[in-house]
Amino acid sequence: MKVYKGKSVYKGIAMGNVVVLKNKDLQIKRYRVEDVEAELARVDQAGKRAKEQLQKLYDKVLKEVGEANAAIFEVHQMMLEDEDYLDAIHSMVRTEHVNAEYAVAVTGDNFSQMFANMDDDYMKARAADVKDISNRLVQILKGQEEVDFSSMEPAIIVADDLSPSETVQMDKEKILAFITVHGSANSHTAILARMMNIPALVGVKVDIQEIHTGTKAVVDGLLGEVTFEPSEELCEQTRKRLEEEKEKLQLLQTLKGKETITLDGKKIHLYANIASVGDVGYVLENDGEGIGLFRSEFLYLGRNDFPTEEEQFQAYKQVAQTMAGKKVIIRTLDIGADKQVDYFQLGQEDNPAMGYRAIRICLKQPEIFKTQLRALLRAAVFGNISIMYPMIISVEEVREIDRIVKEVQEELNKVQIPYKIPEQGVMIETPAAVMISDELAELVDFFSIGTNDLTQYTLAVDRQNEKLDDFYNPHHKAILKMIQMVVENAHKCGKWAGICGELGADLELTEEFVRMGVDELSVAPSMVLKVRKRIREIKGI
Ligand code: PEP
Ligand code: MG
């Protein structure tokens, strides 16, 4: 047995076999090959494999989020059959006697450059696609294939680190737990694990080269421990605990359909957080009364180009319709910091958490913002949508947002497209927003307190920095006083205030939040019934 400690981000238990995700090393060496025909056969074989992978991706995305999002994988398959591209690779192997990886990488770079220099915007956008298919071929040639989640048995994923876009693309049904060597407990990857109800440990100092796919492991989120090659005794204990967990979950099921109300009749709106259209199922399964935070930026991650207005419209409409009249609060894109997307070309920043992100991008690049707003206003016709804006620091920003929303409204009027102006609120996640919450309350319909960022900015503790996890204390008096102040300022103006940061699900604070007058809590779907249980036990409010 090999036992390692880590920081637990979701306190569940899991047992199963490990799948190790090795970091993709895209460094390519050039070497001379003698058997040119064999090398060409490798290229063709890799092409076939890539097409199979893309077909599977196409089928999966088509089923989960529809044709518009899946189309890109069809385009990639077609590009893999492009004669000019394939001829260029073949001819390089033949004439220069170079290895397949090198020929593919160089051809990919050349073609990508050629597309990037074209005048037509559509062709320009293909530059990233050529790069993508070339990278895929190189990975296959180097034997670094992506894990095929569709044929994989459910497993414990072990990785050096995982980015939010990698995490969100994984098939949740196939993941028993996450173990990462790096990563902070407050990162978006950790938040996603919690949202997906998946036991996860970060900062596990294991040598990833020594752990092999197929090794058995037990993950204990309560102890913050993973045991590789567990003894039969530990396996037996874990089986029993998994049974007990199942029974506890079944008990919670009895709270489905019940009101979220204190013993004295105070009602709290209990909503859930989601990152993708596919997560709506978890909200309904756990009886969320609405969606308090749809992190819309995940629609922008893991792709090569901006989602179109139509793609976004379909996604928001689908969520609104599935929630059938229940509130759906969609946050406008919060790209930047740990959520990086190449095509935004944000550039390197010394301090990205305090950098060019979220509403700042939207106000500086209003064409990106307006596309999203148009999609949101149009989708609002199909359900109970609210919009909220992240990372607000000033009254002027809210006025500027208002001006842009009016412009979008006029544009839609002109072309006679149906829309609705929904309820609009702001996230309170900077100390500045807290201190001017009296003024902000006059301009907006509601506040949603983002305690994850509010903690990082108030305590000057980078939430991504794993070394600082012990300093990241959302229970700090400063944070609790800020929450109280925000709620009071909202109520003075007749507006409501909720919490959508992770602290909203902290059962130790539920009673305090209710006493403060917090109107809404938006939590990971897996936490809805636990928070409801806690609220229903509160007396004297
Ligand atoms: C927050 O900051 O609390 C929040 C909800 O937003 P995110 O975690 O996505 O930054
Ligand atoms: Mg935030």
Side-chain angles (χ1 to χ4, degrees):
M1 291 211 299
K2 292 183 204 143
V3 187
Y4 295 86
K5 283 274 181 202
K7 280 171 269 180
S8 178
V9 299
Y10 181 74
K11 296 187 175 15
I13 311 159
M15 179 163 66
N17 288 341
V18 156
V19 166
V20 182
L21 297 185
K22 296 256 160 73
N23 260 357
K24 286 174 198 142
D25 169 17
L26 286 179
Q27 267 199 349
I28 290 137
K29 291 200 184 78
R30 174 187 173 131
Y31 57 87
R32 188 179 164 77
V33 293
E34 297 308 329
D35 190 346
V36 166
E37 291 313 316
E39 206 59 15
L40 291 176
R42 282 185 69 220
V43 174
D44 296 341
Q45 204 50 43
K48 261 197 213 139
R49 182 75 196 110
K51 271 189 255 168
E52 283 167 17
Q53 285 181 355
L54 287 163
Q55 185 60 44
K56 277 193 185 149
L57 273 172
Y58 176 85
D59 294 340
K60 174 173 182 281
V61 177
L62 179 71
K63 205 167 84 201
E64 287 177 4
V65 277
E67 175 78 41
N69 288 307
I72 189 66
F73 300 115
E74 210 170 34
V75 173
H76 282 196
Q77 286 186 63
M78 283 183 323
M79 287 173 109
L80 270 172
E81 285 166 5
D82 183 84
E83 278 184 18
D84 291 341
Y85 175 71
L86 291 176
D87 282 352
I89 297 171
H90 278 227
S91 120
M92 192 165 182
V93 174
R94 262 188 213 295
T95 55
E96 298 184 33
H97 281 249
V98 289
N99 52 316
E101 293 85 339
Y102 182 79
V104 169
V106 172
T107 309
D109 282 346
N110 290 344
F111 272 63
S112 164
Q113 200 60 47
M114 183 178 80
F115 280 117
N117 291 336
M118 289 184 179
D119 289 332
D120 183 288
D121 278 349
Y122 177 82
M123 296 313 272
K124 259 194 209 312
R126 301 288 71 79
D129 293 319
V130 183
K131 215 64 204 145
D132 220 58
I133 57 167
S134 302
N135 285 347
R136 182 177 293 281
L137 285 175
V138 169
Q139 269 164 32
I140 294 171
L141 286 163
K142 293 177 87 176
Q144 297 176 333
E145 283 205 42
E146 281 168 10
V147 174
D148 178 3
F149 284 99
S150 62
S151 59
M152 181 182 110
E153 287 295 312
I156 296 167
I157 304 292
V158 179
D160 222 24
D161 204 354
L162 291 168
S163 72
S165 66
E166 280 171 320
T167 315
V168 81
Q169 285 179 71
M170 288 180 182
D171 184 344
K172 295 155 205 171
E173 305 302 322
K174 299 291 174 73
I175 304 169
L176 297 174
F178 285 125
I179 302 293
T180 64
V181 180
H182 299 289
S184 120
N186 311 299
S187 67
H188 281 94
T189 301
I191 290 174
L192 284 170
R194 233 170 270 141
M195 205 139 72
M196 292 163 13
N197 215 355
I198 293 173
L201 297 181
V202 297
V204 179
K205 298 297 169 228
V206 54
D207 180 353
I208 205 150
Q209 303 304 335
E210 285 189 1
I211 303 293
H212 302 292
T213 291
T215 308
K216 192 165 185 179
V218 167
V219 179
D220 186 332
L222 296 161
L223 290 176
E225 224 170 68
V226 51
T227 308
F228 296 102
E229 297 162 13
S231 64
E232 189 38 48
E233 193 188 343
L234 178 60
C235 292
E236 191 47 42
Q237 272 172 17
T238 309
R239 264 180 230 115
K240 275 201 195 117
R241 286 178 62 196
L242 282 167
E243 273 305 309
E244 284 163 18
E245 282 287 300
K246 221 165 130 191
E247 278 166 26
K248 268 196 217 151
L249 273 180
Q250 267 160 3
L251 265 177
L252 274 177
Q253 303 303 306
T254 58
L255 287 170
K256 280 191 182 170
K258 298 243 166 85
E259 269 195 301
T260 307
I261 195 165
T262 65
L263 286 171
D264 300 285
K266 181 162 169 53
K267 167 115 188 74
I268 304 294
H269 297 284
L270 182 55
Y271 300 152
N273 295 347
I274 63 166
S276 69
V277 179
D279 293 341
V280 180
Y282 298 122
V283 180
L284 296 173
E285 244 172 62
N286 290 285
D287 202 26
E289 296 160 22
I291 290 169
L293 168 64
F294 177 0
R295 289 182 163 95
S296 74
E297 60 275 10
F298 281 92
L299 291 177
Y300 293 72
L301 297 184
R303 45 185 298 151
N304 297 323
D305 205 351
F306 293 97
T308 62
E309 176 185 328
E310 194 55 29
E311 283 172 57
Q312 293 192 58
F313 165 67
Q314 291 299 344
Y316 306 145
K317 177 179 159 191
Q318 194 178 330
V319 174
Q321 285 184 325
T322 315
M323 290 304 290
K326 291 182 178 161
K327 198 184 271 300
V328 175
I329 304 177
I330 304 177
R331 166 172 83 186
T332 57
L333 66 98
D334 188 1
I335 288 292
D338 61 327
K339 287 173 285 196
Q340 290 292 332
V341 187
D342 286 349
Y343 61 83
F344 269 75
Q345 297 180 341
L346 297 179
Q348 202 62 30
E349 290 182 296
D350 283 346
N351 211 341
M354 293 199 183
Y356 189 51
R357 58 173 288 201
I359 201 69
R360 300 166 184 185
I361 299 177
C362 291
L363 294 177
K364 283 269 178 211
Q365 292 174 261
E367 63 293 355
I368 298 177
F369 193 30
K370 280 174 138 186
T371 305
Q372 181 168 37
L373 286 173
R374 263 197 303 274
L376 285 166
L377 263 53
R378 287 172 55 200
V381 174
F382 297 89
N384 186 4
I385 285 181
S386 306
I387 306 179
M388 84 178 161
Y389 304 102
M391 284 292 291
I392 294 295
I393 56 166
S394 74
V395 163
E396 290 70 30
E397 283 171 343
V398 178
R399 295 222 166 92
E400 181 62 7
I401 292 168
D402 195 42
R403 195 187 61 70
I404 298 175
V405 171
K406 291 212 168 74
E407 261 178 36
V408 169
Q409 191 178 353
E410 276 163 27
E411 285 167 21
L412 290 170
N413 279 340
K414 244 187 233 156
V415 284
Q416 296 189 338
I417 292 181
Y419 69 89
K420 198 174 138 198
I421 299 289
E423 185 188 42
Q424 291 171 74
V426 289
M427 290 196 64
I428 302 288
E429 50 183 349
T430 63
V434 174
M435 298 312 289
I436 58 164
S437 52
D438 52 345
E439 293 178 55
L440 290 172
E442 291 178 12
L443 301 177
V444 301
D445 298 317
F446 66 92
F447 288 153
S448 188
I449 306 172
T451 49
N452 310 335
D453 277 319
L454 189 57
T455 305
Q456 103 162 321
Y457 297 126
T458 305
L459 305 185
V461 171
D462 178 358
R463 70 193 259 196
Q464 289 299 117
N465 187 338
E466 56 189 276
K467 289 199 200 97
L468 299 180
D469 276 355
D470 291 341
F471 293 92
Y472 185 94
N473 173 20
H475 286 218
H476 195 293
K477 249 194 209 149
I479 308 296
L480 299 178
K481 280 187 172 177
M482 284 176 157
I483 295 173
Q484 179 72 75
M485 180 172 171
V486 170
V487 173
E488 281 170 10
N489 282 334
H491 289 177
K492 272 186 212 151
C493 268
K495 310 292 165 70
W496 64 266
I499 300 177
C500 63
E502 296 299 290
L503 201 63
D506 191 324
L507 299 171
E508 279 177 40
L509 290 174
T510 310
E511 179 157 352
E512 192 161 346
F513 291 150
V514 176
R515 289 194 189 279
M516 284 181 183
V518 170
D519 303 286
E520 176 244 21
L521 293 171
S522 190
V523 302
S526 56
M527 289 303 293
V528 168
L529 294 173
K530 291 182 191 162
V531 175
R532 178 172 296 158
K533 179 171 181 292
R534 183 71 200 89
I535 290 176
R536 288 173 64 88
E537 290 160 357
I538 298 174
K539 252 207 259 168
I541 299 176

